Amino acid sequence: DAGVIQSPRHEVTEMGQEVTLRCKPISGHDYLFWYRQTMMRGLELLIYFNNNVPIDDSGMPEDRFSAKMPNASFSTLKIQPSEPRDSAVYFCASTGTAIANYGYTFGSGTRLTVV
Amino acid sequence: QKEVEQDPGPLSVPEGAIVSLNCTYSNSAFQYFMWYRQYSRKGPELLMYTYSSGNKEDGRFTAQVDKSSKYISLFIRDSQPSDSATYLCAMSFKAAGNKLTFGGGTRVLVKP
């Protein structure tokens, strides 16, 4: 299994531009999580899906952020318009119902820099 | 106050020493406890998990949970430079909808 796959690994964009981050979860996992990590705030849960349905988006910082999961093997996190304070590492993680309480598998992250 | 507290470090130890890490938490509902290791510029990887109270050992790693004190620990014996990383604790409970709550992480440096 290739694990959780995120793209791109690095993204540098100008303020005001749209940014789309992508994630492919592990096959068979029915939970998908989007996290943001910064030095100041650590790992923050933004949104998570179960069976492609958003369950909790209370961590999404504002309306500029949106996430979709059109099918079991693909999810996107979009920021429009982007701002310098959105600079962070964004992680996607997945797990299965039977193992969810025993941990997630994280992707390698997308390092976003907004200038 | 955060739900899960963890000293950010850095914790610097000589090679071969025992590394002692801990987290305190406020929500008594937590029943599943995990430790993740995160190398620089990588995603967190699951190191160990325990359910409820007690100890669990895996090679050089020992995880302890004291629910009465709301305190969990991770010990690394015979530490190696390759153990240099950030260690994050995480916890959850069934009614949380499989949502993990993470500590802020402790950075560990093992010097050769």
Side-chain angles (χ1 to χ4, degrees):
Chain A
D1 197 327
V4 176
I5 300 172
Q6 291 187 247
S7 64
R9 287 298 307 275
H10 303 275
E11 178 82 37
V12 180
T13 191
E14 291 186 346
M15 183 173 62
Q17 296 298 305
E18 178 180 293
V19 176
T20 300
L21 312 181
R22 297 172 176 80
C23 175
K24 177 179 169 54
I26 290 175
S27 177
H29 282 186
D30 53 355
Y31 281 88
L32 184 139
F33 303 82
W34 281 102
Y35 281 87
R36 177 170 68 176
Q37 187 176 42
T38 61
M39 289 291 289
M40 290 295 294
R41 301 170 71 94
L43 264 176
E44 301 175 276
L45 177 64
L46 300 177
I47 185 171
Y48 77 98
F49 296 83
N50 179 219
N51 291 321
N52 313 336
V53 176
I55 302 301
D56 184 351
D57 65 354
S58 60
M60 296 286 260
E62 46 198 278
D63 292 345
R64 298 185 297 108
F65 286 70
S66 63
K68 293 182 180 179
M69 192 165 186
N71 56 62
S73 58
F74 184 66
S75 177
T76 59
L77 178 68
K78 188 176 291 188
I79 308 172
Q80 165 64 20
S82 58
E83 296 183 4
R85 61 193 167 119
D86 301 331
S87 297
V89 182
Y90 291 80
F91 288 103
C92 175
S94 71
T95 192
T97 299
I99 60 172
N101 286 307
Y102 304 105
Y104 308 160
T105 301
F106 281 81
S108 297
T110 295
R111 184 172 296 272
L112 174 65
T113 303
V114 183
V115 297
Chain B
Q1 187 181 359
K2 291 183 179 178
E3 213 169 358
V4 180
E5 298 279 358
Q6 192 174 1
D7 189 321
L11 178 62
S12 183
V13 300
E15 183 176 354
I18 294 176
V19 176
S20 175
L21 304 166
N22 57 74
C23 288
T24 58
Y25 61 93
S26 57
N27 189 345
S28 59
F30 287 131
Q31 49 189 158
Y32 300 92
F33 304 92
M34 281 137 270
W35 286 95
Y36 282 81
R37 178 176 61 197
Q38 185 176 21
Y39 290 117
S40 180
R41 298 185 175 268
K42 299 286 187 183
E45 57 176 330
L46 181 65
L47 204 55
M48 294 187 72
Y49 71 85
T50 51
Y51 171 70
S52 195
S53 286
N55 294 357
K56 185 172 183 178
E57 192 171 313
D58 184 1
R60 297 184 296 113
F61 299 89
T62 300
Q64 291 184 349
V65 175
D66 182 348
K67 289 193 71 180
S68 62
S69 301
K70 298 191 184 73
Y71 187 91
I72 68 171
S73 302
L74 178 71
F75 300 96
I76 307 174
R77 291 183 300 279
D78 187 25
S79 58
Q80 305 295 310
S82 59
D83 295 325
S84 298
T86 296
Y87 291 80
L88 302 107
C89 63
M91 45 199 79
S92 71
F93 54 96
K94 276 189 178 177
N98 299 320
K99 210 164 60 167
L100 288 181
T101 300
F102 281 87
T106 299
R107 187 171 165 225
V108 172
L109 299 170
V110 181
K111 297 184 176 180

